[in-house]
Structures are given as C-alpha cells and as structure tokens.
Amino acid sequence: AQTVTQSQPEMSVQEAETVTLSCTYDTSESDYYLFWYKQPPSRQMILVIRQEAYKQQNATENRFSVNFQKAAKSFSLKISDSQLGDAAMYFCAYRREMGYGGATNKLIFGTGTLLAVQP
Amino acid sequence: DTGVSQNPRHKITKRGQNVTFRCDPISEHNRLYWYRQTLGQGPEFLTYFQNEAQLEKSRLLSDRFSAERPKGSFSTLEIQRTEQGDSAMYLCASSLVGLAGDEQFFGPGTRLTVL
C-alpha cells in the first residue's frame, strides 16, 4: 500500500523569505502523480502544484516549486517570497497514474504541515 | 459554475441519530469522491463514484455508512446510528476524466460533531 509521510507538523517563515516543506512517500508503482494541496483555515482545499512521476523536470507554479527525487521517494515544496496569504495547512498527496475505466484515482494524503507566515 | 458545494456546512447531532450530507459536484464532472478528515490528520478516502456507479469503498466505510449518486449528479452520504468517533470533516471532490490530469476539486466540507 502507498503511504505519504510529512515529518514537519508545523513550520514558520518570515514574510518575503523562502521555506521548504518536506514529504516522502512509499510506493511500488512506477507511474504516479504527486501533489501539494493548500487548506487555509475554514476554507476549502486547493491544488498548489502537481508533478508527474515520469517527468524529470521539477514542476513550478509562480512562487511555488518542487524538488522531486524519484529514487529517494522525496517530494518537497519550496515557497519563495512568502506572503501572509500563504499561511495554511499544506498536504502532500499521492495518486496512481490515471486509471481509465472504473479504476479509482483516490488521493492518499500525508498528515499535513501547518505553515505560519510572520509579518 | 462556482465549484463543488456541500450542505450543510456544519451538523451537530446526538449519538445514535442518523445524518445525511449532500455534495453537488462541478457540472459535468463524472467522478465524485468522499473523504473524511479528522483533526490533525490528512483526508482519508471513503468512496468513489464514476457517474452513478459506486466503484470503490474504503474499509473505513462501515455498514453504518451509505453513499449514493443518483443520475450521476449530486451525491449523498448517510451515516446511521452516529457514534462520537464519526465526528470529522467530510469532504467531497469531483473531477472530469481527461481534464487537467483528472484533477480533483474539493468542496468546503461538512463538519460533523456527534455529542
């Protein structure tokens, strides 16, 4: 079974600084997706960034980038130029390669990292 | 279209009562997921529909839980004879096969408190 581990329950960063959130996972599959989701307080979860396992190039979305190390099964999120609005719970998630037909594409989440941004 | 909606947003009930939650997915999304999130944990998968067919149920989904998606549109999740351990946030997500890598869009959740 696949598992996702986030070893940092809480992190703090100064506004405008850079912070890195860690995530490791375990799987025997070769094709899969990895995600970082953001869950602000009392608000719904939104996708921050996605990485396809077959792509060697690390995904980037504006101030958010990942460091994907497939052999090490590591998937960290770097937030540059942190803003107050980045304060939230961040979840790392795994999903198998998109299944056609009836195969499920359920997400497997880590326990989350609560990020605080200090002004 | 304003995204996935869930009702009610909050539900307080007494142990032993039945509760039902509703999820309205994004229009034309053919896949719908239910997750449960307890305090300090990440969401855990409960069940999944493709159109109206329920294709997978987690072992977390005891016999007291039932989910439906009639006509492949909205979905309901019912919990019978609620227990205090059922207190959690229940999240719904929807996706469309072939769109953005089958990205799941989440609703705001229904927070259940069982007294």
Side-chain angles (χ1 to χ4, degrees):
Chain A
Q2 296 84 15
T3 59
V4 176
T5 302
Q6 293 179 253
S7 59
Q8 305 157 316
E10 297 181 14
M11 292 282 285
S12 182
V13 64
Q14 292 290 130
E15 199 175 0
E17 297 294 308
T18 296
V19 64
T20 298
L21 308 184
S22 301
C23 173
T24 58
Y25 60 94
D26 190 27
T27 183
S28 58
E29 299 177 335
S30 57
D31 294 326
Y32 49 87
Y33 288 81
L34 295 165
F35 305 86
W36 279 98
Y37 279 88
K38 172 185 178 181
Q39 188 177 40
S42 301
R43 295 181 62 185
Q44 61 205 79
M45 197 165 329
I46 58 173
L47 179 64
V48 174
I49 198 165
R50 171 180 57 229
Q51 175 78 43
E52 292 91 333
Y54 68 87
K55 290 186 176 179
Q56 293 189 347
Q57 185 173 8
N58 290 324
T60 299
E61 288 288 342
N62 301 314
R63 298 182 295 107
F64 298 87
S65 61
V66 299
N67 183 4
F68 173 49
Q69 302 289 329
K70 190 173 184 179
K73 296 181 180 176
S74 170
F75 182 61
S76 61
L77 174 69
K78 185 171 80 172
I79 305 174
S80 303
D81 185 25
S82 297
Q83 301 175 359
L84 295 177
D86 294 334
M89 182 71 86
Y90 286 82
F91 291 100
C92 178
Y94 169 100
R95 198 198 78 196
R96 58 178 292 176
E97 174 64 21
M98 184 165 62
Y100 294 93
T104 182
N105 290 324
K106 64 186 177 187
L107 291 164
I108 299 170
F109 288 88
T111 51
T113 297
L114 182 62
L115 178 66
V117 181
Q118 307 299 329
Chain B
D1 186 29
T2 56
V4 179
S5 61
Q6 292 187 246
N7 288 287
R9 295 291 307 276
H10 303 273
K11 179 70 177 179
I12 300 175
T13 190
K14 294 182 178 180
R15 185 162 51 97
Q17 298 295 305
N18 298 343
V19 294
T20 299
F21 311 140
R22 176 178 171 127
C23 171
D24 287 90
I26 294 172
S27 298
E28 299 179 355
H29 276 196
N30 56 349
R31 291 183 169 179
L32 188 148
Y33 302 80
W34 284 99
Y35 294 85
R36 181 172 68 187
Q37 184 177 18
T38 54
L39 200 60
Q41 299 296 316
E44 296 174 293
F45 170 77
L46 291 179
T47 190
Y48 152 69
F49 291 84
Q50 181 158 299
N51 300 313
E52 66 276 9
Q54 187 175 21
L55 298 183
E56 184 173 346
K57 293 169 60 174
S58 163
R59 277 169 278 185
L60 292 175
L61 217 62
S62 74
D63 292 343
R64 297 184 297 105
F65 288 71
S66 63
E68 295 182 342
R69 193 184 182 198
K71 303 178 182 178
S73 56
F74 71 91
S75 175
T76 58
L77 178 67
E78 181 183 15
I79 309 175
Q80 296 182 327
R81 304 180 303 282
T82 52
E83 301 173 356
Q84 288 185 326
D86 297 332
S87 295
M89 176 76 85
Y90 290 84
L91 299 172
C92 176
S94 69
S95 69
L96 177 63
V97 175
L99 177 66
D102 200 29
E103 177 184 340
Q104 294 181 31
F105 294 82
F106 283 82
T110 294
R111 182 169 296 283
L112 173 66
T113 302
V114 182
L115 301 176

